[in-house]
Amino acid sequence: MEKKKILLLGTGGTIASEMGDSGLQPELNSEQLLRYIPDISDICQVACDQLFNLDSTNIQPKHWARIAAAIRRHYREFDGFVIAHGTDTMAYTAAGLSYLIQGSPKPIVLTGAQKPIGFETTDSKQNLRDAFTVAASGMAGVMLVFNGKIILGTRARKTRSKSFEAFSSINYPLLGLVQDGRIIRYIRPEARAVPQFYDTVNPRVALLKLLPGMDCGVAAFLLAHNDALIIESFGVGGLPSYKAGDYYEVVKNGLEAGKVVVMTTQVENEGSDLAVYHVGGAIKRNLPILEAYDMTTEAVAAKLMWILGQTTDQRWVEDLFYTPVACDILKV
Ligand code: ASP
């Protein structure tokens, strides 16, 4: 049987890095990466494209759009796609691509590494091999493959800064595992016959993590300079009221000025539920704020950027926000 055709898109990251005077920086392109795993021809046929070569700290939503556009351009020619990417913002890119390429019946797999591919001890080769294995498997949709885990693109988070076990799936089970080159599939992601591609993102989305006692002026500033504000509050969610009306008035003014405000939580697992306490219930009842429920902050941010790239109509924004895309929200 003819081997599946996979396109490897290089974007930079540790996996492609070499040591420079001031630390690691991306140097290798996707063809050079591939040379480290010559046995990949046993799994699939690979073609290479280098989109940019960045530490993922420098990757922005416009780069997500470039990755999506490259996949769109080559969608018919290939059976699957592997994106070699830095780990630091890979979860944001995975979420971003989940909104820019919806319902893909073909696998779109992000991977990277904690140690460069040229180092003696490295997770690069295994992660790349596993990513190609998944990309050649016919599994549908945007996924992140790392240290043997297959994570849905809307559910990934970097939870360890140094270990090989760098990513977790938040509020959703793993799609499966890759063990010794074989896939153990737990979940079959949903797909359409053809994917829906989008090309516009609006990056004017800000995130505010609350601290006890923090001045609400920061929230006012962020609302004035962005189209949407995500507030990472405490527990199941609520707004502080240190002085009469402080945060409440800032949020109300922002909403009246047409901004979108989403309340989420700093707690990693189980999500928000604003209705539980008066500190959350009172704002949910009186103001048209949105709530993240079980979505990750990465997915909330990427979803808002995608939605605000399509519309600013508040009703439509709300509808799209609560409409599940790639199992990003379950609790609505
Ligand atoms: N700073 C690197 C990056 O995100 C880290 C990594 O790839 O692991 O590009």
Side-chain angles (χ1 to χ4, degrees):
M1 209 173 69
E2 195 169 308
K3 296 241 158 44
K4 295 269 177 72
K5 287 190 198 148
I6 310 298
L7 180 63
L8 171 62
L9 295 168
T11 71
T14 293
I15 191 166
S17 287
E18 289 183 339
M19 191 54 84
D21 289 345
S22 46
L24 291 168
Q25 62 180 43
E27 297 289 354
L28 305 180
N29 63 32
S30 45
E31 276 170 14
Q32 291 169 308
L33 284 182
L34 209 58
R35 274 185 222 139
Y36 281 90
I37 46 166
D39 52 331
I40 208 67
S41 56
D42 296 343
I43 301 175
C44 53
Q45 308 173 50
V46 184
C48 294
D49 194 0
Q50 188 67 29
L51 296 179
F52 34 84
N53 221 356
L54 294 172
D55 188 296
S56 76
T57 299
N58 282 320
I59 286 188
Q60 304 168 51
K62 67 180 182 190
H63 297 102
W64 310 341
R66 280 181 61 187
I67 299 170
I71 293 174
R72 183 181 207 162
R73 237 180 359 259
H74 296 291
Y75 198 79
R76 289 221 182 122
E77 295 157 62
F78 292 94
D79 301 303
F81 301 85
V82 171
I83 302 148
H85 193 288
T87 62
D88 292 347
T89 66
M90 197 192 297
Y92 289 94
T93 301
L97 293 178
S98 304
Y99 298 108
L100 293 178
I101 312 170
Q102 295 186 23
S104 170
K106 296 182 180 177
I108 297 169
V109 183
L110 289 121
T111 197
Q114 294 281 52
K115 295 283 179 215
I117 203 158
F119 279 23
E120 206 169 294
T121 306
T122 177
D123 50 341
S124 298
K125 295 174 202 168
Q126 196 55 50
N127 285 344
L128 265 184
R129 276 196 202 96
D130 289 350
F132 280 112
T133 302
V134 175
S137 72
M139 264 175 102
V142 177
M143 295 162 274
L144 192 153
V145 170
F146 211 93
N147 203 37
K149 289 177 175 172
I150 311 172
I151 301 172
L152 189 65
T154 52
R155 295 291 179 171
R157 170 167 295 169
K158 187 168 182 183
T159 47
R160 288 196 172 78
S161 60
K162 296 180 181 172
S163 341
F164 288 174
E165 178 71 4
F167 286 89
S168 302
S169 183
I170 304 296
N171 296 332
Y172 199 77
L174 292 177
L175 298 182
L177 300 173
V178 191
Q179 274 176 0
D180 300 326
R182 296 183 57 180
I183 297 176
I184 302 163
R185 227 182 259 204
Y186 299 150
I187 294 179
R188 211 167 275 271
E190 51 192 50
R192 301 189 194 140
V194 282
Q196 178 148 17
F197 284 95
Y198 294 85
D199 49 21
T200 327
V201 267
N202 175 348
R204 289 170 52 85
V205 174
L207 171 64
L208 177 63
K209 180 171 182 164
L210 293 185
L211 283 176
M214 190 167 76
D215 192 291
C216 65
V218 187
F221 178 88
L222 291 175
L223 275 164
H225 290 84
N226 292 280
D227 297 330
L229 177 64
I230 305 162
I231 301 176
E232 262 192 5
S233 183
F234 315 111
V236 286
L239 260 191
S241 46
Y242 302 128
K243 287 181 272 168
D246 51 3
Y247 272 95
Y248 186 91
E249 285 305 318
V250 166
V251 169
K252 184 162 171 275
N253 291 342
L255 291 164
E256 281 170 3
K259 314 285 174 151
V260 179
V261 179
V262 179
M263 180 68 72
T264 189
T265 174
Q266 303 175 12
V267 182
E268 187 153 274
N269 294 293
E270 299 176 358
S272 73
D273 193 352
L274 280 178
V276 176
Y277 296 99
H278 172 76
V279 287
I283 45 159
K284 184 94 193 251
R285 211 171 22 247
N286 296 323
L287 298 177
I289 58 159
L290 304 177
E291 174 167 6
Y293 295 106
D294 59 311
M295 293 179 79
T296 64
T297 298
E298 291 86 337
V300 170
K303 194 171 196 176
L304 288 172
M305 290 180 193
W306 161 64
I307 294 171
L308 293 170
Q310 320 307 313
T311 183
T312 48
D313 178 273
Q314 280 199 338
R315 278 290 253 318
W316 199 13
V317 169
E318 178 167 347
D319 263 18
L320 286 172
F321 187 78
Y322 286 133
T323 303
V325 175
C327 299
D328 60 348
I329 185 164
L330 300 174
K331 273 196 197 150
V332 181

